[in-house]
Amino acid sequence: MLAEWESHKQQLRSYIARQISDQEVVEDILQEVFIKASDNLQQLKAKGSLRSWLYTITRNTIIDYYRKRTNYEELPDDLAQESKDLIEQNYKVLSGCLRPLLQELPDKYRIPLELSELEGMSQQDVATSLGLSLSGAKSRVQRGRAKLRELMLACCEFEMSKGEITDFTPKSETGKKCYDRVRKRYT
């Protein structure tokens, strides 16, 4: 391996130097490529493909270098974190707005959705109680969710963080009335 490495070393150095201007970093990356190639020599399938294999390792090492190098600004220590209480309060207000929005849905979607999501019934039980097939009940629940989502997005703008709704702002008159009525109840 050492003899083959010496024959490709200068070409690899030039390749790295075209990607990175700092000569010390070029040498560090070249050394890292040699270590990776030595450690993974058993992965080389044919001796004739050594050159392309070394270039692949080199290219990936350069990509890793730039990924690690990404600068991030430190956040200030005094940055306010969303309190769980505020998030819980937002959920209560938002859940209070769901009932009026559910009432806007046609009965064929509203009833299966309420039974499934609010009453906690299985979709099989929803199907049985409404005289529907299981696939019919599932379809109505899914369509009800989609229509409820459309209504929610039409009424409010949502702010998300880590998969949770951290805040929302009503954007329609209906949304504002609901928001004000429910906010008074929980604040």
Side-chain angles (χ1 to χ4, degrees):
M1 161 76 182
L2 199 52
E4 288 90 2
W5 171 257
E6 289 300 324
S7 68
H8 295 292
K9 183 177 176 180
Q10 190 54 43
Q11 293 172 339
L12 291 172
R13 181 181 285 119
S14 297
Y15 175 71
I16 297 167
R18 285 192 303 268
Q19 309 292 323
I20 299 171
S21 59
D22 186 347
Q23 193 57 38
E24 288 180 15
V25 174
V26 170
E27 292 302 320
D28 289 345
I29 289 178
L30 188 62
Q31 183 177 8
E32 192 172 335
V33 168
F34 177 74
I35 292 169
K36 286 179 180 179
S38 299
D39 289 348
N40 298 301
L41 193 57
Q42 73 278 3
Q43 292 179 356
L44 182 62
K45 293 182 173 84
K47 198 170 194 177
S49 64
L50 176 68
R51 182 174 187 259
S52 63
W53 184 67
L54 287 172
Y55 272 92
T56 300
I57 293 172
T58 305
R59 183 191 53 183
N60 290 339
T61 305
I62 291 169
I63 290 169
D64 290 344
Y65 164 75
Y66 279 114
R67 280 186 188 145
K68 291 176 188 172
R69 202 174 153 235
T70 304
N71 294 328
Y72 297 100
E73 288 185 30
E74 289 289 324
L75 293 175
D77 291 334
D78 61 342
L79 184 65
Q81 184 178 4
E82 286 285 342
S83 75
K84 284 291 182 187
D85 293 338
L86 182 59
I87 292 172
E88 288 299 318
Q89 182 181 358
N90 283 336
Y91 276 136
K92 286 180 182 178
V93 172
L94 187 59
S95 65
C97 288
L98 288 179
R99 284 275 183 198
L101 291 176
L102 274 170
Q103 298 305 315
E104 299 288 321
L105 294 177
D107 286 347
K108 75 181 212 176
Y109 300 123
R110 180 184 54 78
I111 293 170
L113 188 61
E114 284 178 339
L115 292 174
S116 174
E117 301 300 329
L118 300 180
E119 302 296 325
M121 291 176 68
S122 70
Q123 291 186 357
Q124 179 62 57
D125 291 340
V126 171
T128 303
S129 69
L130 296 177
L132 300 170
S133 67
L134 177 59
S135 65
K138 286 181 177 183
S139 176
R140 289 190 183 182
V141 168
Q142 288 300 97
R143 288 183 184 149
R145 286 177 184 158
K147 291 187 176 296
L148 182 61
R149 177 186 166 100
E150 288 173 15
L151 285 171
M152 289 175 66
L153 292 175
C155 292
C156 297
E157 290 185 30
F158 296 93
E159 186 177 310
M160 304 285 290
S161 174
K162 297 179 184 175
E164 294 182 333
I165 297 173
T166 56
D167 201 6
F168 67 98
T169 307
K171 62 182 177 183
S172 70
E173 211 40 55
T174 305
K176 288 178 185 172
K177 287 177 185 174
C178 174
Y179 177 84
D180 291 340
R181 186 181 72 246
V182 176
R183 177 70 81 183
K184 287 178 188 172
R185 192 179 320 155
Y186 290 107
T187 56

